[in-house]
Amino acid sequence: MDNLTVLANIAEIVGVLIVIGGLFFAILQMRQLRQQRRELAALELFRFFGNANFSKAYQLILHLPDDLSADEIRSSQKTEHAAMLISTTMENIGVMTHERIVPFLVVKHLIGTSTIVLWDKLRNWALALRDDLGQDEAFEWFQWLAERLKEHQPEDYTPAYIAHRDWRPARPNQET
């Protein structure tokens, strides 16, 4: 009888250890899944900017002076189309950033300055569109993203090509 009790106790301990190990493994898997989701979202973000239509729109808007009036942007169908493409893309990125689908730091590094510049160029157009539609939420996430990025941009910012000029890739046998 003693041997049977000892075996039962050992089985119970092993069962508890298996459950704890399973929970630990599940937590690790959830973390990996979350990291994969962030990486996929970052790739999607990169895809937005690699799109030929977006690139053309970006180039067109980038060369506009800041603070153009809504009417000046609307005067060209091509320019307003570019403004709409830029704004809807940035709206999506703003939502993904707010919901933490894409980490803020990734957005900041990939498109931070661009977002601020684009909002500065399209602000008047977006605000006029809100008035025309009677919808305060038109391009709200584009504005939110630009404002957050501007808040978190240090005044003494050093561009990556200078700040990280001594960076070297990890050797094949090193951890990344």
Side-chain angles (χ1 to χ4, degrees):
M1 200 64 129
D2 270 344
N3 287 341
L4 195 55
T5 304
V6 170
L7 287 174
N9 288 339
I10 291 173
E12 194 172 322
I13 291 170
V14 169
V16 168
L17 290 175
I18 289 172
V19 169
I20 291 171
L23 287 172
F24 181 72
F25 182 74
I27 290 169
L28 286 176
Q29 288 295 307
M30 287 173 51
R31 282 184 164 180
Q32 275 188 327
L33 185 63
R34 195 174 315 139
Q35 180 62 32
Q36 285 176 342
R37 189 180 77 182
R38 285 186 182 131
E39 289 170 2
L40 287 172
L43 286 172
E44 187 68 19
L45 180 64
F46 182 73
R47 193 177 65 84
F48 274 135
F49 275 77
N51 177 301
N53 290 332
F54 185 88
S55 295
K56 288 177 189 173
Y58 179 84
Q59 184 178 19
L60 178 65
I61 299 300
L62 189 64
H63 288 95
L64 296 176
D66 288 352
D67 294 324
L68 276 181
S69 71
D71 289 336
E72 289 172 303
I73 290 177
R74 290 176 180 157
S75 68
S76 163
Q77 186 177 4
K78 185 178 179 181
T79 303
E80 187 164 32
H81 177 74
M84 186 62 73
L85 179 60
I86 294 286
S87 297
T88 54
T89 300
M90 295 310 227
E91 187 81 353
N92 289 327
I93 294 167
V95 170
M96 289 191 298
T97 304
H98 178 266
E99 295 301 320
R100 291 177 168 79
I101 295 169
V102 180
F104 181 79
L105 193 58
V106 171
V107 173
K108 181 180 171 191
H109 287 316
L110 285 177
I111 62 167
T113 304
S114 297
T115 302
I116 294 166
V117 167
L118 291 168
W119 175 252
D120 287 345
K121 294 188 180 294
L122 297 175
R123 177 189 302 108
N124 293 335
W125 173 81
L127 297 177
L129 186 63
R130 285 179 190 168
D131 287 343
D132 294 347
L133 297 173
Q135 300 287 325
D136 286 340
E137 61 271 12
F139 301 123
E140 63 186 330
W141 292 109
F142 181 11
Q143 179 178 357
W144 175 87
L145 181 61
E147 289 173 355
R148 296 304 71 74
L149 288 164
K150 195 175 274 192
E151 280 175 11
H152 294 281
Q153 188 175 38
E155 290 182 26
D156 60 343
Y157 178 75
T158 304
Y161 62 89
I162 295 171
H164 304 290
R165 70 176 148 237
D166 295 329
W167 179 89
R168 299 290 178 261
R171 289 187 219 133
N173 293 333
Q174 279 184 316
E175 285 186 31
T176 54

